[in-house]
Amino acid sequence: MRTLALSVFVLAAALTRLLPHPPNFAPITAMAVFGAVGFGRWRMAILTPLLALFASDLAIEYLYHHGMYPRWGIYRGMWATYGTTALVALLSRFSRGTRRVSVMAGTTLFASIVFFLVTNFAVWARGTRFPHTLDGLLDCYIVATPFFRNSLAGDVVYAAVLFGAWALAERRIPGFRPRDADTRPAAAT
């Protein structure tokens, strides 16, 4: 029951990508952090956010081809997004087992920075807009900085909603609690 509920939370977050939102204000990094912390098995922690991301990309692609969405869902550089999402999930596993708000906030910030650095490195490496020099890489990061603000804001909002809603669900539904938890849900501190 817990695994299914966590999966539904992640998929629901992914499907919010279909709603109007500011550029880069998306749940991708927050889904990876939430999955990494919530799922007991590392394979589920990595695969669930990736599958949810893919489902939302397919939905976006379908809507785009039917004139109902402004951009495509399947794109050339998606390997960088998927690879970085998996990397974020792996790195976020180190936060598993805690419920401290400060740890979740720090993990989300770290994950946002990793996502920004890796995906923009991929833009620089595969693109022609910036010269393939150190100065070109730095220019790429500088140009991308305004997008990082929205990305970080989205990560913080989605992480707060996912972790907050999950904490409430665990308190109300005993089947959502980890198997090793006692009868009282842990307090988020």
Side-chain angles (χ1 to χ4, degrees):
M1 185 168 180
R2 177 182 168 83
T3 299
L4 177 61
L6 284 165
S7 299
V8 168
F9 269 58
V10 171
L11 181 59
L15 292 178
T16 65
R17 296 177 65 217
L18 302 174
L19 302 173
H21 59 275
N24 289 47
F25 191 96
I28 298 169
T29 303
M31 290 176 352
V33 173
F34 178 75
V37 171
F39 286 104
R41 295 191 175 114
W42 70 270
R43 284 188 182 106
M44 288 297 292
I46 296 168
L47 290 177
T48 302
L50 290 175
L51 291 172
L53 178 59
F54 187 62
S56 66
D57 279 340
L58 288 177
I60 289 169
E61 185 72 14
Y62 176 84
L63 293 173
Y64 172 76
H65 281 290
H66 289 85
M68 296 182 281
Y69 204 79
R71 65 181 192 286
W72 57 89
I74 306 299
Y75 52 96
R76 197 178 81 158
M78 62 193 296
W79 63 270
T81 301
Y82 283 75
T84 307
T85 301
L87 175 64
V88 163
L90 277 173
L91 294 173
S92 297
R93 290 291 283 177
F94 289 108
S95 296
R96 183 164 161 64
T98 184
R99 298 193 179 231
R100 294 183 55 200
V101 172
S102 60
V103 173
M104 295 302 101
T107 302
T108 301
L109 174 61
F110 175 74
S112 295
I113 292 168
V114 168
F115 195 88
F116 173 81
L117 291 174
V118 174
T119 56
N120 283 292
F121 180 86
V123 166
W124 169 78
R126 75 170 187 266
T128 57
R129 181 173 176 191
F130 302 99
H132 291 136
T133 63
L134 181 59
D135 285 341
L137 177 60
L138 293 175
D139 285 345
C140 180
Y141 286 130
I142 290 167
V143 168
T145 300
F147 297 102
F148 180 65
R149 286 186 212 117
N150 281 355
S151 180
L152 180 59
D155 295 341
V156 168
V157 167
Y158 278 104
V161 169
L162 284 167
F163 284 109
W166 185 254
L168 289 173
E170 278 186 327
R171 283 193 180 105
R172 302 225 184 262
I173 304 169
F176 287 6
R177 297 179 194 142
R179 288 188 185 148
D180 57 352
D182 62 14
T183 56
R184 293 165 302 160
T189 57

